[in-house]
Amino acid sequence: MTESTETTDKRSLRRAFVASLSGTTLEYYDFAAYSVAAATLFGKLFFPSGDSLAGTMAAFSTYAVGYLARPLGGFVFGRLGDVLGRKKVLVYTLLLAGVATFLIGILPTHAAIGGWAPALLVLLRFAQGVGVGGEWGGAVLLSSEFGDPNKRGFWASAAQIGPPAGNLLANGVIALLAATIPTAAFESWGWRIAFLLSALLVLFGLWLRTKLEETPVFKKIAEQGEKPKAPLTEVFKHEPRALIAGILVRICPDVLYSLFTVFVLTYMTSELGMSRSQGLTAVMIGSAFQLFLMPAAGALSDRVNRRTMYLVGTIAAAVWPFVFFPMASTRSYLAIAVGMVVALAIHALLYGPQAALITEQFSERLRYTGSSLAYTLAGVLGGAVAPLVFTALLASYGSWVVVALYVVVTAVATGIGVALSRKAPEETIVVPSETVEALR
């Protein structure tokens, strides 16, 4: 390889890393802004009723819609990513999620247009979910397929940094708005600014992605004429174990993240009587630590057994809620902030190497489809229903213990997924059996 070629490859790799990071940051900024608004505002703005708990439950239902829409994005964009290429599809997913978020920022509330308001909110939330469902698999491949396969844990973590970065950005913007705008004004129009700002992130992300080349792995598949014609069918028919393992390993981390970035906000305000800003600040502190812990965990998984490391993180996830909630009951802000940092550090230990763990379960030619399906279907089983389940359990039993036990159940499911997962295969193009027979 010549010096100029090597320089070009390194430049492409850096661009891919930044494009993957920026795209998922935008997508999760959108998602996090909605999550915070659902936990603190949308109940009374779009689902007014005399019962504040019922309003919160309704708002969390639209939160779940975003997760329920993800499999559609995974099905549609995952297939296109394996057929048309990573780059083109990632432009479409970025536009879809960004436009939907901007429109939420100008959506009239229930007081202005009645029942149309929650209906349109659900529709836009659905569009957000479809975009995110198609984004993750491609963003992971964008960075990891430009990099060294032996360092897949680190390079694939670019997409994993997006959720804490987007969460930090969204919480920071909303916290700043809430602190600088009077409460009445913030609840009337101030919250909209956080959603409208997504337009700037979309423009930046599009600028980056349109400058990228297609990944070397997809180029190789295309040159050999091995692009799949029916990737969805092939994944379900030939790689079902990989799909099941990919789904299960995501469930516990998703539930843990929903617990400590969404439900805890409601718990702090409704059960502990603490302010909204205190909860948002605690989430921001934890997310800030994740910005560094995600790539560190991904890099560590390249040096040690990735599956063993993931299992250790899963056990820690099952234990920590039993430590956190007694700490939170003291109503000490320092204790809650420390508890949040530890919780999100455990999540980083899982989420950092997760992209590499999931993508390496699938053959290269089916990797976008398989990874997207695993990611999105797990979201339905894990993150989609988690805030609703947490809220319902707390309302029914009045105790955090059942909430913690629910996390334990999801940890068992993820442990099974780790047991089913396989070691990273060699980076070779998998040729369909029909082609092999024809060559014979």
Side-chain angles (χ1 to χ4, degrees):
M1 180 182 292
T2 66
E3 184 177 346
S4 61
T5 302
E6 186 175 353
T7 301
T8 302
D9 289 344
K10 289 182 178 179
R11 187 183 300 117
S12 296
L13 179 55
R14 288 194 295 269
R15 283 181 178 175
F17 189 91
V18 175
S20 176
L21 170 60
S22 62
T24 52
T25 297
L26 167 66
E27 301 269 10
Y28 282 91
Y29 171 88
D30 298 345
F31 238 62
Y34 187 95
S35 301
V36 174
T40 57
L41 287 171
F42 281 178
K44 58 184 175 182
L45 291 178
F46 290 93
F47 305 93
S49 71
D51 186 346
S52 61
L53 177 62
T56 301
M57 289 284 283
F60 278 159
S61 295
T62 59
Y63 173 85
V65 165
Y67 278 94
L68 294 173
R70 286 185 182 186
L72 178 59
F75 274 85
V76 174
F77 292 115
R79 178 187 179 282
L80 291 175
D82 280 327
V83 174
L84 300 180
R86 299 14 173 165
K87 175 185 172 179
K88 289 181 181 178
V89 172
L90 287 172
V91 171
Y92 303 149
T93 60
L94 189 66
L95 277 172
L96 179 59
V99 170
T101 302
F102 182 84
L103 292 177
I104 290 176
I106 61 174
L107 183 64
T109 63
H110 189 280
I113 60 174
W116 283 103
L120 290 172
L121 182 65
V122 169
L123 179 62
L124 293 174
R125 179 63 173 171
F126 186 86
Q128 268 189 336
V130 172
V132 172
E135 165 73 21
W136 183 84
V140 168
L141 298 184
L142 191 65
S143 55
S144 64
E145 289 186 348
F146 271 103
D148 182 353
N150 294 320
K151 297 180 180 178
R152 183 184 289 120
F154 172 74
W155 292 114
S157 71
Q160 306 301 81
I161 304 170
N167 194 35
L168 181 63
L169 189 59
N171 279 281
V173 168
I174 292 177
L176 180 63
L177 292 171
T180 56
I181 299 175
T183 301
F186 176 75
E187 294 183 354
S188 174
W189 56 266
W191 62 271
R192 297 180 181 278
I193 297 174
F195 290 86
L196 298 177
L197 286 175
S198 66
L200 298 177
L201 295 174
V202 170
L203 292 175
F204 177 69
L206 288 175
W207 176 74
L208 278 174
R209 290 187 173 181
T210 53
K211 287 181 172 292
L212 281 175
E213 294 183 4
E214 187 53 78
T215 71
V217 171
F218 184 79
K219 284 182 178 179
K220 184 180 178 183
I221 293 171
E223 288 170 1
Q224 294 184 358
E226 294 301 336
K227 290 192 292 185
K229 295 181 180 179
L232 288 171
T233 302
E234 289 191 45
V235 167
F236 283 109
K237 184 176 180 180
H238 300 298
E239 303 190 9
R241 176 171 174 166
L243 183 59
I244 293 171
I247 291 171
L248 292 179
V249 298
R250 265 192 56 81
I251 291 179
C252 181
D254 255 19
V255 170
L256 187 73
Y257 195 70
S258 293
L259 175 63
F260 286 103
T261 62
V262 181
F263 175 75
V264 163
L265 295 177
T266 300
Y267 185 82
M268 288 177 66
T269 55
S270 63
E271 298 296 318
L272 303 181
M274 303 179 75
S275 70
R276 176 194 302 143
S277 62
Q278 286 178 308
L280 292 176
T281 303
V283 172
M284 288 171 60
I285 293 171
S287 296
F289 276 91
Q290 283 196 309
L291 295 179
F292 308 98
L293 292 173
M294 291 287 190
L300 180 61
S301 75
D302 289 325
R303 297 177 178 271
V304 302
N305 186 295
R306 202 178 337 267
R307 291 173 295 171
T308 300
M309 177 178 164
Y310 206 88
L311 186 60
V312 170
T314 301
I315 294 171
V319 171
W320 188 245
F322 292 95
V323 179
F324 173 80
F325 282 105
M327 292 172 62
S329 66
T330 65
R331 291 176 171 79
S332 164
Y333 178 71
L334 178 60
I336 290 175
V338 170
M340 190 72 73
V341 169
V342 174
L344 293 183
I346 293 170
H347 178 260
L349 186 65
L350 291 163
Y351 205 67
Q354 184 185 95
L357 181 64
I358 291 177
T359 56
E360 66 195 13
Q361 300 305 307
F362 300 94
S363 56
E364 291 174 334
R365 56 191 298 277
L366 299 174
R367 196 170 277 167
Y368 200 144
T369 302
S371 300
S372 296
L373 288 178
Y375 175 83
T376 56
L377 292 174
V380 173
L381 299 174
V385 298
L388 287 168
V389 172
F390 291 146
T391 305
L393 288 174
L394 185 65
S396 298
Y397 296 95
S399 171
W400 60 264
V401 175
V402 289
V403 172
L405 289 174
Y406 180 68
V407 177
V408 172
V409 172
T410 64
V412 171
T414 290
I416 294 172
V418 174
L420 289 173
S421 66
R422 63 174 180 168
K423 185 180 178 181
E426 295 295 326
E427 292 297 283
T428 55
I429 301 297
V430 177
V431 181
S433 57
E434 294 86 350
T435 303
V436 174
E437 291 299 325
L439 291 173
R440 287 176 181 172

